[in-house]
Amino acid sequence: MSKKIVLRNVRLSYEHIFTPSSFDDSQDAKYSATLIVPEDHADLPALRKALFEAGQEKFPAAFNGKAWPTGYTCALKDADKDTNDAGEVLAEKNPEYAGCYVVKADSTRRPVVIGRKKEALTEADGVIYSGCYVNISMAAAGYEFGKIKKGVKCYLNGVQFVADGERFGSDAMSDFDELDGGEDDIDFM
């Protein structure tokens, strides 16, 4: 059983909601999104509660207190303290995460993607991008990968565009701002 979560007006990062992707060929490609959740976000207590309840449901012996048990992963990360797989503090690698939590959600099924008026959106519409603000529907559930890795993750169900935000990543057009376009700028030797 999973616990449904809806986060309102959070910032989208590392967006792969139209085309599934994987880190390498040994993994199954998944639709995914990382959400930036401010520390004072109104939905954060409900998110924490849903994650913990999903852990209690899957691992009742381990989730028998109030603290997250050691050795169990959690989809919610404190960006100012927690690290990525390379050992880098999340907010140091991604400055836009400072003062926030991040939560990753993924799914093998394509999520529902809609606009403000609940109209269906496609990648070609260009409305959804890393940096925009969205409402997101997820389900928290406990998982166990062999005997090695276990914890609680979020499964991506749906994304609704809320507002534009500054795009993450580079703007390829601005890469050429320094060049005036004259042939005299070309020096091959």
Side-chain angles (χ1 to χ4, degrees):
M1 197 72 180
S2 60
K3 304 292 179 187
K4 182 179 176 184
I5 308 162
V6 176
L7 295 178
R8 295 165 294 170
N9 198 27
V10 292
R11 198 144 184 221
L12 186 60
S13 177
Y14 294 106
E15 168 274 312
H16 298 283
I17 60 172
F18 295 108
T19 306
S21 69
S22 64
F23 186 70
D24 61 41
D25 292 338
S26 69
Q27 298 176 332
D28 292 334
K30 294 182 180 180
Y31 299 92
S32 64
T34 300
L35 294 310
I36 305 170
V37 184
E39 290 176 342
D40 61 351
H41 195 281
D43 296 332
L44 191 57
L47 172 60
R48 283 188 174 124
K49 182 179 181 200
L51 291 166
F52 199 81
E53 286 176 355
Q56 286 177 316
E57 193 172 280
K58 177 76 174 174
F59 309 105
F63 283 79
N64 59 6
K66 294 189 185 261
W68 197 269
T70 303
Y72 291 79
T73 64
C74 181
L76 184 66
K77 307 286 184 196
D78 182 337
D80 294 324
K81 297 176 184 173
D82 292 329
T83 60
N84 61 19
D85 292 338
E88 303 163 306
V89 173
L90 297 172
E92 289 175 11
K93 174 124 175 91
N94 300 349
E96 60 275 5
Y97 292 1
C100 296
Y101 287 86
V102 293
V103 61
K104 182 176 179 183
D106 62 31
S107 178
T108 55
R109 294 181 310 182
R110 185 183 181 278
V112 171
V113 184
I114 59 175
R116 281 186 276 237
K117 297 177 182 174
K118 298 185 181 175
E119 71 280 12
L121 295 176
T122 66
E123 188 170 18
D125 296 325
V127 174
I128 302 283
Y129 54 90
S130 292
C132 74
Y133 291 85
V134 298
N135 296 329
I136 189 149
S137 171
M138 307 179 290
Y143 75 92
E144 194 165 2
F145 186 70
K147 301 231 181 246
I148 311 167
K149 197 168 184 179
K150 52 192 168 188
V152 179
K153 66 179 289 179
C154 290
Y155 294 90
L156 182 60
N157 293 329
V159 178
Q160 180 183 30
F161 175 80
V162 173
D164 285 313
E166 185 178 338
R167 280 186 190 270
F168 295 143
S170 70
D171 172 13
M173 290 296 288
S174 65
D175 292 346
F176 302 102
D177 286 348
E178 296 175 14
L179 306 176
D180 66 11
E183 290 183 32
D184 294 339
D185 288 343
I186 302 171
D187 181 11
F188 291 108
M189 295 292 172

